[in-house]
């Protein structure tokens, strides 16, 4: 399983919290790339709900990971 920002962005508008089945359904309905669907199929949790993309991809970058000062813009 591998994630990129582009692949993870396909799940930004997913109905969080969501189970693996709900995420797979969402990805299929929205026409997400096959890589997204394959990554979701590899998730081990069947019934437990994921609260956000960070639960699916723990290394998902957050605003804190970028080095710019929003007050300057």
């Amino acid at each position: 399983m591998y994630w990129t920002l582009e692949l993870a962005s396909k799940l930004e508008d997913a109905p969080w919290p969501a189970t693996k089945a709900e995420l797979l359904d969402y990805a299929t309905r929205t026409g997400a790339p096959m890589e997204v669907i394959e990554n979701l199929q590899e998730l081990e949790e069947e019934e437990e709900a994921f609260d956000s993309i960070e639960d699916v991809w723990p290394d998902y970058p957050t605003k804190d990971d970028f080095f710019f000062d929003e007050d300057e813009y």
Side-chain angles (χ1 to χ4, degrees):
M1 172 170 43
Y2 71 94
W3 287 99
T4 64
L5 286 175
E6 182 180 354
L7 293 177
S9 71
K10 304 299 182 188
L11 296 177
E12 283 182 352
D13 294 329
W16 303 105
T19 63
K20 176 182 175 178
E22 291 170 334
L23 290 174
L24 281 167
D25 180 59
Y26 174 81
T28 303
R29 286 185 295 109
T30 59
M34 195 62 192
E35 292 89 351
V36 172
I37 294 169
E38 290 170 357
N39 285 345
L40 291 173
Q41 289 173 337
E42 290 182 28
L43 293 174
E44 294 179 14
E45 303 295 329
E46 291 291 330
E47 300 298 321
E48 188 174 322
F50 297 97
D51 292 325
S52 66
I53 188 66
E54 288 88 7
D55 290 344
V56 175
W57 182 30
D59 293 332
Y60 184 76
T62 62
K63 283 187 172 187
D64 296 335
D65 294 329
F66 297 101
F67 302 107
F68 65 90
D69 187 3
E70 290 182 355
D71 294 336
E72 290 180 15
Y73 299 99

